[in-house]
Amino acid sequence: MPSIIYEIEDSCLELIKGDITTQKTDAIVNAANKALSPGGGVSGAIHRAAGPNLREECRTLGGCKTGEAKISKGYHLPAKYVIHTVGPVYGESPDDELCLSNSYKNSLYKASKNNIKSISFPSISTGIFGYPVKEASEVALNTIIDYLRKHPGIKLVRMVLHSDEDLQTYKSTLEKILNSPGQQ
Ligand code: AR6
């Protein structure tokens, strides 16, 4: 499936299937753990591709609470920065939706603060943390669209999905959001 690009005000929201570690955006987002240690999933892949200096810098960042975001350099990655955020473990608290939304919002806020113009996200919490992809896609895309409408500085947000199925789910959700009353 080719990449899908939607215009939101003066910014682009792109959905692709791919590997986040190869993205040439200014920043990529890591679905991290609270200790900011490499772990598995997308986080393990990002740490392997960035090299050991990323782990060293992460040790100095003081961990990360659920919904917060921290920033580091990208080292051997094509991206200059990695923004680390910890999504919710699905079902652990009644605030899952708010926590997941905060992960996206605080990552974007960190990007704005650092003059980052393009950023790639993985589907936070939908792997090891067990958040159902459809529900997560609604939170992710609504939060990103809302942010782009209020903050014109970020020109490209790319959602990098790891499977055709996840890409299709995000695409369906995005079309539903953009076609819903009040969105035109
Ligand atoms: N590029 C893009 N997406 C990927 C990649 C990749 N290279 N690899 C996996 N995904 P997960 P979580 C997708 O489990 O649920 C770690 O151990 C994957 O298919 O990485 O937030 C951390 O240390 C899924 O759709 O993150 C934490 O302990 C999505 O990325 C915990 O896992 C997120 O899956 C975080 O769990």
Side-chain angles (χ1 to χ4, degrees):
M1 195 185 291
S3 78
I4 302 146
I5 302 180
Y6 296 84
E7 284 180 18
I8 312 285
E9 306 292 331
D10 288 335
S11 308
C12 288
L13 173 54
E14 186 179 14
L15 308 181
I16 67 163
K17 179 190 163 192
D19 176 358
I20 202 160
T21 65
T22 63
Q23 302 305 312
K24 295 187 177 82
T25 44
D26 296 341
I28 63 170
V29 175
N30 180 18
N33 56 49
K34 289 180 184 166
L36 298 181
S37 63
V42 72
S43 176
I46 288 171
H47 276 269
R48 277 193 298 279
N53 286 338
L54 179 60
R55 183 181 200 151
E56 288 307 312
E57 185 177 354
C58 282
R59 284 202 180 107
T60 70
L61 298 178
C64 188
K65 294 191 186 122
T66 304
E68 281 187 354
K70 298 276 175 90
I71 190 165
S72 73
K73 287 184 271 192
Y75 300 97
H76 293 308
L77 291 162
K80 189 171 176 200
Y81 298 102
V82 180
I83 296 175
H84 308 264
T85 187
V86 180
V89 177
Y90 187 68
E92 213 170 60
S93 108
D95 295 331
D96 282 346
E97 200 177 312
L98 179 65
C99 289
L100 186 59
S101 178
N102 282 342
S103 278
Y104 284 93
K105 205 173 358 182
N106 287 323
S107 298
L108 289 163
Y109 187 63
K110 200 58 107 180
S112 296
K113 281 267 177 209
N114 287 276
N115 205 26
I116 285 163
K117 304 288 182 208
S118 58
I119 182 169
S120 298
F121 279 94
S123 178
I124 297 165
S125 281
T126 64
I128 293 163
F129 282 178
Y131 213 116
V133 178
K134 183 169 176 292
E135 280 89 327
S137 70
E138 289 163 7
V139 177
L141 295 170
N142 275 310
T143 305
I144 292 168
I145 290 167
D146 187 55
Y147 191 92
L148 290 178
R149 289 196 165 133
K150 291 179 182 153
H151 304 83
I154 298 178
K155 295 299 170 204
L156 170 67
V157 175
R158 180 178 291 156
M159 282 295 320
V160 182
L161 289 322
H162 212 41
S163 66
D164 287 324
E165 203 184 339
D166 286 358
L167 176 58
Q168 187 55 53
T169 303
Y170 270 75
K171 181 174 180 277
S172 303
T173 300
L174 186 53
E175 283 167 357
K176 208 165 77 189
I177 292 170
L178 296 177
N179 290 327
S180 65
Q183 289 287 335
Q184 272 75 41

